[in-house]
Amino acid sequence: MAGPRVEVDGSIMEGGGQILRVSTALSCLLGLPLRVHKIRAGRSTPGLRPQHLSGLEMIRDLCDGQLEGAEIGSTEITFTPEKIKGGIHTADTKTAGSVCLLMQVSMPCVLFAASPSELHLKGGTNAEMAPQIDYTEMVFKPIVEKFGFIFNCDIKTRGYYPKGGGEVIVRMSPVKQLNPINLTDRGCVTKIYGRAFVAGVLPFKVAKDMAAAAVRCIRKEIRDLYVNIQPVQEPKDQAFGNGNGIIIIAETSTGCLFAGSSLGKRGVNADKVGIEAAEMLLANLRHGGTVDEYLQDQLIVFMALANGVSRIKTGPVTLHTQTAIHFAEQIAKAKFIVKKSEDEEDAAKDTYIIECQGIGMTNPNL
């Protein structure tokens, strides 16, 4: 299997964990040996952190590969993948490292495994600087399933910063190929709903206050829709540690989904958390795209692998998305075109079409 190594500079563009996730997933899928150097070179704590290590080890285990240089603080790794196998795989960040990011790196790989997979992911489910598990379930899942597969996401325990301690089990069957997607018609917003949660010692009033503040904020801009945000007290046996946060989803007539979310921090009042999520949602609704800024980059790898031309309409293209495109082109040889949307209704907005000619990856095991 081992051809020439793909060389990746881990310090360019996003310059962080995302480069590792995209490059190791593609290396694993395509059977290409990989070397990543200057890992997180520009970050305040350069090199691998525990959550990056658990992601790398998971990919290694998924395909019985060889991994060198994988220790905390390391700025260079080499990875030699073998055949992707199904079955049960466990990854534990041992911190509040995000289970959602572990899912991001492993999901494309297990789609092309020889048999069904069960991924046991441990860490933070609702953590900063990463999608919340509610986002993964309520937005990412229904959209990514348009590529022609389904997965099941079972939240066993929720875990919060700084302790983590959450666990999610993801089950999925392999596919022969992925279908391309076309998400260019946004439609109009038909529903807005969400959940405001408290866990551990935080009083339920905090959840109610976050929800109420978010509803007030949205009403100023969108008057004619009922906004249904449920305050939730996470059951004691299903949450580890203390946390609070909110996620709000807007759904459109064509099935597009947008989100705004926010997590509570010590000393930040509940209203502020609710308003931050509401403002994020409203900003994501203003740009005229069919996906929000967080879904953009999560779809790139799937578009690159799909059999045919995919198109998504977005707001401003994020650095994460530009980074994912760069490595999908470099490693998978997919072809992307990003251009300003030419629709009249988008004329005054910062709206783009990301088009990809996928490589039509075929599962060799099926």
Side-chain angles (χ1 to χ4, degrees):
M1 247 173 124
R5 281 202 187 276
V6 175
E7 293 283 336
V8 163
D9 180 341
S11 67
I12 64 170
M13 303 179 82
E14 178 266 346
Q18 192 213 4
I19 294 182
L20 277 172
R21 287 190 295 278
V22 172
S23 59
T24 47
L26 291 171
S27 153
C28 173
L29 278 157
L30 298 160
L32 296 167
L34 173 73
R35 173 174 169 259
V36 187
H37 54 99
K38 297 191 196 159
I39 294 169
R40 300 182 71 254
R43 299 293 161 103
S44 57
T45 47
L48 296 174
R49 307 300 305 144
Q51 65 270 29
H52 306 122
L53 206 49
S54 47
L56 288 171
E57 289 166 347
M58 181 171 212
I59 294 287
R60 175 197 66 198
D61 297 345
L62 286 176
C63 71
D64 277 333
Q66 267 109 40
L67 183 59
E68 285 151 45
E71 57 252 356
I72 296 194
S74 165
T75 56
E76 183 175 322
I77 57 126
T78 58
F79 174 54
T80 312
E82 295 294 335
K83 186 176 154 173
I84 304 170
K85 56 188 204 300
I88 297 176
H89 298 280
T90 300
D92 186 351
T93 66
K94 310 220 173 24
T95 61
S98 167
V99 296
C100 304
L101 295 179
L102 288 174
M103 202 184 302
Q104 249 182 54
V105 66
S106 52
M107 188 176 284
C109 300
V110 295
L111 280 173
F112 291 90
S115 60
S117 302
E118 191 172 291
L119 308 173
H120 293 240
L121 310 174
K122 299 175 182 180
T125 58
N126 298 78
E128 284 291 352
M129 306 297 294
Q132 296 191 44
I133 192 67
D134 307 270
Y135 181 90
T136 301
E137 269 203 315
M138 296 161 84
V139 178
F140 174 75
K141 178 175 161 37
I143 304 295
V144 84
E145 287 181 342
K146 293 179 192 287
F147 286 101
F149 66 93
I150 46 177
F151 72 94
N152 174 274
C153 178
D154 180 8
I155 305 170
K156 288 279 177 230
T157 320
R158 288 168 176 271
Y160 310 97
Y161 181 81
K163 290 187 190 156
E167 182 179 10
V168 174
I169 299 176
V170 179
R171 296 181 184 88
M172 57 202 301
S173 292
V175 293
K176 184 71 188 159
Q177 274 193 321
L178 293 175
N179 306 327
I181 61 166
N182 186 12
L183 294 180
T184 50
D185 179 10
R186 170 150 132 188
C188 53
V189 178
T190 53
K191 293 189 206 165
I192 299 179
Y193 51 90
R195 77 193 292 268
F197 68 85
V198 289
V201 299
L202 290 151
F204 187 57
K205 180 183 187 306
V206 170
K208 291 194 286 200
D209 289 351
M210 287 189 295
V215 170
R216 283 195 303 272
C217 182
I218 292 166
R219 285 261 164 81
K220 286 183 194 149
E221 208 153 314
I222 301 174
R223 293 194 181 79
D224 49 350
L225 279 181
Y226 174 64
V227 181
N228 179 16
I229 303 174
Q230 291 290 316
V232 180
Q233 170 80 57
E234 302 292 6
K236 289 270 185 278
D237 57 342
Q238 289 165 34
F240 185 79
N242 307 308
N244 68 297
I246 180 170
I247 178 162
I248 318 163
I249 312 282
E251 197 174 309
T252 75
S253 52
T254 54
C256 297
L257 296 162
F258 300 85
S261 65
S262 181
L263 285 168
K265 290 191 242 349
R266 203 159 279 204
V268 177
N269 80 24
D271 287 29
K272 197 167 171 209
V273 181
I275 289 164
E276 185 176 34
E279 285 178 344
M280 183 191 292
L281 175 67
L282 292 168
N284 272 313
L285 290 173
R286 280 183 206 114
H287 60 53
T290 58
V291 297
D292 65 33
E293 60 186 315
Y294 299 100
L295 198 57
Q296 268 184 34
D297 66 280
Q298 296 181 59
L299 298 178
I300 297 299
V301 168
F302 297 96
M303 291 167 71
L305 298 171
N307 184 27
V309 177
S310 292
R311 284 184 196 87
I312 59 174
K313 190 188 274 195
T314 70
V317 178
T318 66
L319 179 58
H320 271 89
T321 298
Q322 292 167 27
T323 304
I325 289 173
H326 176 88
F327 291 105
E329 290 188 323
Q330 182 195 336
I331 301 170
K333 306 289 185 256
K335 295 274 183 287
F336 283 84
I337 298 169
V338 180
K339 52 179 196 279
K340 198 102 170 61
S341 169
E342 282 152 16
D343 297 350
E344 302 85 81
E345 75 260 24
D346 300 329
K349 295 177 181 160
D350 217 1
T351 314
Y352 298 84
I353 301 281
I354 301 176
E355 183 176 299
C356 173
Q357 174 66 58
I359 63 171
M361 173 87 188
T362 304
N363 191 331
N365 309 296
L366 295 187

